[in-house]
Amino acid sequence: MKLLALLSLLFPLQLLAQNTQTIKIQLRDEINGQAISGATVSIPKYQLQSVSDDQGSVRWDGVPVGRLEIEISALNYGKKILKELLLEKSKQLILDVELQQVSRELHAVTVSSAGNTIPALLSAEKITSEQIFRYPATFFDPARLTMTLPGVANTNDQANNVSVRGNNPSYIQWRLEGVEIVNPNHLSNAGTFADKPAAVGGGTNILSAQMLGNMNFLSGAFPSSYGNALGGIFDMNLRAGNAEKYQHVVQVGLIGVDLSSEGPINKRKGSSYLVNYRYSFTGLLGLAGVNFGGEKIDFQDLSLYLNFPSKRAGTFSFFGMGGVSSNIFAPDADSTKWESAKDLNNIDFNARMGLVGAKHQVRLWNKYQWKTVVVNSSSEDLRNAYTGNQNVDYDYAAKNYLSFSTSFSGDLYKWWAFQFGVNLSHQFTKFNYIDSGELFYSYDNLQVQPYVRVSNRKSDRFNYNVGIMFPYYSLSQSQYAEPRLSASYYLLPKHQVKVAYGLHSQVVNSRVGLYLPNKPSRSHHFTLGYQYDIDQKQSVSVEAYYQSMFNLTRFDSLYMSVMNGYELGDFRGGYFLPNQKNQGRNYGIEFSYKRYLENGFFALANATFYKSQFKAFDGKFYDSRYSGDYIYNITGGKEWETNKGKIVGLNTRVNWVGGFRDYFIDVTQDNGVTYVGWRLDQPLTVKYDDYFRVDLRAYIKTTKKKGSETISLDLQNLTGRENVGYNYFDIFTGKIEQKKQLGLVPMLNYRWEF
């Protein structure tokens, strides 16, 4: 006993002797936002334990830096474990944790790698900034991290465009703080066919990972608060800066120079700021005179988040972000060195994107939460290929979204919880007629999306989420009722079955909208899942899904569909006949294994088997462009941690995706004249080779006296495999060529946090 008493006295001294930092935790009820007092919060690794105060707060000073887990146990709320946490010397660990009440019958342990709950019972994943910095070859971009998840296939590794469960990438929606925004990515033409700007992707996200809080990624059967999306949702949230201590980050790597700062504005009132600026590394080299084969690639961005809590009026937040990017190509002056049609012209690509927004969140009568967000976002893309003073190919597109959302949530008697609200978005689009710098079109569309949702107040053996949205689209004057339902049931404490259904719609908001009927595309989405929690650190799951698409467009005598994407850009009016009864379908099954980071090891493995098909004018189904049939992912790694806070990590990822499909390119000769065209009178008969890539990430994180430094090396496509991008006819070589994707891409990065 004397020995134990002596050790207990020495333990705090040991903590003080090491590199330490502060942990602050705020506990809230998931439904009404009420502070949870009296909860027991512990860090088993260091035998630390505390109880939350009347404000739901817990604070520890002098906690040794390194990997740790936090266990939370509260009356009526069960137990929750926060995993994959990293405490660093350079910054405090601040966690805002939402807890859901549980019934006495539920004995399962809730395990989470993030602070807040996921808004859907299945087909949803939470992404943390810690994962973005740890996983291999993410280039610190949250969209690239989703490529490790089941059902997600990258369309070209030069960019972050993804196809989710066989869907056209344009069916993806980007959201920030709960509202829809324009494409928030630099270099939207990266990796696309014919170098055309993409609607929802790009080379890298404009919002630096330094700014991100947790992000939800939803792949199907979305809850009733989500509208205007068919193929997936990136739901991003910003994090508030530290309200009591100044913290800074300097990061230099292949992506660029990243500078971040956060800290208090008024310590007494708890207000804070968070700001980040980034300039591309290629842009810096370009300023120094370095040439990249005739191309000059450049981007920079700035993001800001201001947070002002008050005692009675709630919390007010103001945020903004903006970025510019360019890709300027000039062919070699010596024409004997030309190799492809690209060398025939100068090509200037310039893009810019920006947004400003405000958010207010307040608790009412200690039972309800009221949240309001307004965001104005805009983007502009211009690509001009020219020879001398003559335009050869001219593409212009501009968008402006004014989005508003307000929601009210809380308890509906003791058995139920509710949320109701409305999303409004006025979306304006302007673009030029193909290859013309003089003829422009524009249209706008007001979307009104009232919704309501009811769920069980306490997590139980049987959990459910029932809702309905009533979207209205002014462009087509269409009004729908879209029911949403998800439910889960614990067969045994560790065995859970899940089911979900959603009716969804999405309006095309791009140049394609000029050629198509104005009515939104729609789909029924059905999902059936099973999850087995092996223990507190690992689980396996299976999800089968079926998505029935309708209100699509039938092209008369042509094997085309909006599900296939980019080929629509070459069509003029009169080439098709609308048929709103036409359908498409996506179906498949996903197998997943997940092991959270524990004892230095983590692993993700999943396999997806799927089909994506469209119905042609002849009434038969044919494989769509993104029907690769299978997706395999293995991601894992090992960390070694010393007692001085140094962490050495080695992570890898293996990605194998079935080849996408394309139309056959027909080349014919007639009297010395070459005629080239896609055989659109046939299905997509070309099947590209499978995509295969191995990525590796090695890193060393060292704790210093006044901060921490991380040196990392990412190797994307370690084996240098030449994966296929697409086929095209090259007018310079006079034959069909194959565009390859990226080879080996090394990225050395240095990060200093203080």
Side-chain angles (χ1 to χ4, degrees):
M1 295 294 296
K2 292 182 178 180
L3 178 59
L4 292 176
L6 179 60
L7 290 175
S8 66
L9 292 174
L10 291 177
F11 185 68
L13 298 177
Q14 182 185 11
L15 295 186
L16 294 174
Q18 298 180 23
N19 290 312
T20 62
Q21 187 50 274
T22 296
I23 297 177
K24 296 187 294 183
I25 304 174
Q26 178 67 50
L27 303 180
R28 306 179 190 276
D29 184 278
E30 176 197 18
I31 303 300
N32 57 33
Q34 182 178 1
I36 300 175
S37 61
T40 301
V41 184
S42 62
I43 305 178
K45 182 177 180 179
Y46 301 124
Q47 301 177 18
L48 292 177
Q49 183 171 296
S50 186
V51 177
S52 60
D53 60 20
D54 292 340
Q55 303 301 315
S57 298
V58 172
R59 179 188 180 113
W60 285 302
D61 294 309
V63 180
V65 300
R67 294 286 181 188
L68 53 85
E69 295 179 1
I70 295 178
E71 294 185 0
I72 302 171
S73 180
L75 184 65
N76 298 324
Y77 289 91
K79 184 178 181 181
K80 186 168 187 173
I81 303 176
L82 305 183
K83 289 182 171 290
E84 299 188 336
L85 299 176
L86 177 61
L87 182 63
E88 301 180 78
K89 176 70 174 181
S90 55
K91 59 183 179 182
Q92 298 176 343
L93 181 60
I94 303 173
L95 301 172
D96 195 347
V97 182
E98 294 179 350
L99 300 180
Q100 183 180 12
Q101 291 188 16
V102 298
S103 70
R104 295 181 179 180
E105 295 182 7
L106 185 65
H107 301 290
V109 175
T110 302
V111 178
S112 175
S113 61
N116 297 336
T117 53
I118 299 174
L121 295 178
L122 70 169
S123 299
E125 293 284 346
K126 187 170 288 293
I127 294 172
T128 68
S129 57
E130 189 277 335
Q131 292 171 332
I132 296 172
F133 286 111
R134 173 162 49 93
Y135 283 25
T138 65
F139 292 170
F140 312 121
D141 183 342
R144 292 180 185 267
L145 187 144
T146 64
M147 300 169 195
T148 65
L149 302 177
V152 181
N154 184 212
T155 60
N156 191 294
D157 55 26
Q158 296 182 53
N160 59 19
N161 293 284
V162 294
S163 171
V164 181
R165 292 180 170 177
N167 276 290
N168 183 338
S170 64
Y171 286 156
I172 295 285
Q173 181 190 109
W174 284 92
R175 293 164 69 97
L176 182 65
E177 294 294 341
V179 299
E180 184 175 359
I181 62 173
V182 301
N183 183 15
N185 290 288
H186 286 301
L187 301 166
S188 60
N189 66 327
T192 61
F193 179 79
D195 202 32
K196 303 292 185 179
V200 295
T204 189
N205 200 294
I206 292 176
L207 192 62
S208 170
Q210 317 275 15
M211 300 289 297
L212 284 173
N214 295 324
M215 186 182 84
N216 296 314
F217 177 71
L218 297 91
S219 56
F222 319 123
S224 59
S225 56
Y226 295 92
N228 197 41
L230 296 180
I233 295 175
F234 289 103
D235 190 5
M236 300 186 296
N237 294 284
L238 300 168
R239 67 177 182 88
N242 195 319
E244 68 174 49
K245 181 181 179 182
Y246 293 102
Q247 300 172 166
H248 315 286
V249 177
V250 176
Q251 181 170 286
V252 181
L254 181 64
I255 296 297
V257 177
D258 213 329
L259 307 175
S260 180
S261 178
E262 62 182 289
I265 297 175
N266 186 315
K267 289 186 178 182
R268 183 176 60 85
K269 295 184 177 181
S271 58
S272 64
Y273 75 90
L274 173 61
V275 62
N276 191 93
Y277 173 74
R278 183 171 55 174
Y279 194 93
S280 63
F281 184 67
T282 52
L284 291 174
L285 293 179
L287 293 175
V290 178
N291 185 283
F292 295 90
E295 293 197 49
K296 180 182 178 183
I297 303 172
D298 189 11
F299 68 81
Q300 58 181 314
D301 50 62
L302 177 68
S303 305
L304 176 67
Y305 188 81
L306 305 175
N307 195 54
F308 299 93
S310 66
K311 291 184 178 179
R312 297 182 179 179
T315 300
F316 297 85
S317 304
F318 305 91
F319 50 92
M321 58 183 280
V324 294
S325 60
S326 63
N327 187 341
I328 309 300
F329 173 77
D332 197 299
D334 185 356
S335 60
T336 62
K337 297 181 180 180
W338 292 357
E339 298 178 347
S340 67
K342 183 176 181 179
D343 294 314
L344 298 176
N345 306 302
N346 290 73
I347 304 174
D348 295 349
F349 175 82
N350 292 279
R352 55 182 178 176
M353 180 270 172
L355 66 78
V356 292
K359 179 177 70 171
H360 175 241
Q361 190 165 348
V362 63
R363 294 193 65 246
L364 301 174
W365 305 294
N366 292 322
K367 296 175 62 178
Y368 307 105
Q369 286 193 94
W370 183 22
K371 178 181 176 182
T372 302
V373 180
V374 59
V375 175
N376 187 29
S377 60
S378 299
S379 66
E380 185 178 50
D381 297 311
L382 173 60
R383 180 187 182 276
N384 186 21
Y386 58 93
T387 300
N389 295 323
Q390 181 179 0
N391 288 340
V392 177
D393 189 6
Y394 187 91
D395 286 288
Y396 174 85
K399 295 181 181 181
N400 179 270
Y401 292 1
L402 179 58
S403 300
F404 170 85
S405 173
T406 187
S407 63
F408 193 77
S409 61
D411 297 326
L412 186 64
Y413 197 54
K414 62 181 179 180
W415 294 308
W416 302 295
F418 76 93
Q419 180 185 34
F420 67 83
V422 61
N423 303 324
L424 302 175
S425 184
H426 179 268
Q427 302 184 352
F428 173 81
T429 300
K430 181 179 180 180
F431 51 88
N432 71 303
Y433 195 69
I434 292 177
D435 297 339
S436 172
E438 300 177 354
L439 189 57
F440 291 82
Y441 295 88
S442 65
Y443 59 88
D444 58 358
N445 182 36
L446 175 64
Q447 299 178 21
V448 183
Q449 302 168 341
Y451 67 90
V452 64
R453 183 183 72 191
V454 176
S455 59
N456 51 305
R457 180 63 176 93
K458 296 182 178 182
S459 182
D460 207 338
R461 289 190 66 179
F462 177 62
N463 300 298
Y464 55 87
N465 187 327
V466 181
I468 189 168
M469 173 176 275
F470 299 94
Y472 169 77
Y473 300 91
S474 68
L475 186 62
S476 60
Q477 296 185 348
S478 302
Q479 176 90 54
Y480 304 112
E482 298 182 349
R484 315 287 173 84
L485 165 69
S486 60
S488 66
Y489 182 75
Y490 280 95
L491 300 172
L492 295 170
K494 294 184 177 183
H495 299 264
Q496 191 177 179
V497 292
K498 304 177 182 181
V499 64
Y501 164 75
L503 177 57
H504 307 280
S505 58
Q506 183 175 14
V507 67
V508 176
N509 191 17
S510 66
R511 178 180 283 105
V512 176
L514 175 66
Y515 312 114
L516 303 182
N518 292 326
K519 285 193 174 182
S521 299
R522 307 188 68 197
S523 75
H524 296 281
H525 205 143
F526 305 87
T527 309
L528 177 65
Y530 164 78
Q531 180 174 321
Y532 169 49
D533 297 319
I534 301 172
D535 51 35
Q536 294 183 359
K537 62 177 177 293
Q538 55 188 339
S539 65
V540 294
S541 61
V542 180
E543 283 194 23
Y545 64 89
Y546 184 88
Q547 185 178 15
S548 175
M549 315 280 285
F550 63 103
N551 265 28
L552 304 184
T553 301
R554 190 192 77 179
F555 292 82
D556 190 37
S557 302
L558 296 174
Y559 291 87
M560 295 182 60
S561 170
V562 293
M563 294 175 67
N564 293 325
Y566 59 67
E567 77 279 357
L568 290 166
D570 284 345
F571 275 76
R572 315 297 195 260
Y575 273 75
F576 60 87
L577 294 174
N579 181 350
Q580 297 303 317
K581 294 182 180 179
N582 186 47
Q583 294 182 331
R585 61 191 183 190
N586 300 311
Y587 57 93
I589 187 168
E590 301 167 350
F591 301 89
S592 300
Y593 167 79
K594 177 189 293 185
R595 175 192 164 98
Y596 288 101
L597 179 62
E598 186 171 293
N599 297 324
F601 177 70
F602 79 97
L604 299 174
N606 51 72
T608 302
F609 304 96
Y610 73 105
K611 276 289 185 181
S612 175
Q613 298 177 321
F614 68 95
K615 184 186 288 185
F617 66 93
D618 59 7
K620 298 179 180 179
F621 282 99
Y622 298 92
D623 289 334
S624 76
R625 181 182 304 281
Y626 303 102
S627 188
D629 297 340
Y630 44 83
I631 304 170
Y632 305 110
N633 279 303
I634 299 177
T635 306
K638 173 65 178 175
E639 285 188 346
W640 296 267
E641 184 176 358
T642 70
N643 56 9
K644 294 184 178 180
K646 176 179 285 189
I647 296 176
V648 178
L650 184 64
N651 302 332
T652 188
R653 179 203 175 201
V654 179
N655 179 221
W656 182 5
V657 179
F660 290 158
R661 303 171 191 271
D662 209 342
Y663 295 101
F664 179 75
I665 301 176
D666 191 27
V667 182
T668 59
Q669 298 283 339
D670 187 7
N671 294 326
V673 179
T674 302
Y675 296 91
V676 182
W678 281 315
R679 290 299 303 269
L680 301 176
D681 60 338
Q682 301 176 358
L684 290 82
T685 57
V686 176
K687 179 87 162 58
Y688 292 129
D689 292 339
D690 288 359
Y691 178 94
F692 181 81
R693 198 179 88 194
V694 178
D695 301 328
L696 186 69
R697 175 174 174 80
Y699 55 93
I700 300 176
K701 181 179 287 290
T702 306
T703 299
K704 302 290 186 179
K705 183 177 181 180
K706 295 184 178 181
S708 63
E709 67 175 12
T710 304
I711 300 175
S712 62
L713 175 63
D714 283 88
L715 298 175
Q716 177 178 293
N717 197 3
L718 179 65
T719 63
R721 176 185 168 91
E722 291 189 336
N723 290 297
V724 179
Y726 51 82
N727 292 341
Y728 72 102
F729 179 80
D730 193 297
I731 61 174
F732 182 79
T733 64
K735 58 182 181 179
I736 297 174
E737 303 285 357
Q738 196 166 77
K739 184 71 173 179
K740 300 294 186 180
Q741 300 189 47
L742 294 177
L744 173 63
V745 180
M747 190 183 82
L748 184 64
N749 193 79
Y750 175 80
R751 179 180 173 91
W752 173 245
E753 301 169 87
F754 59 99

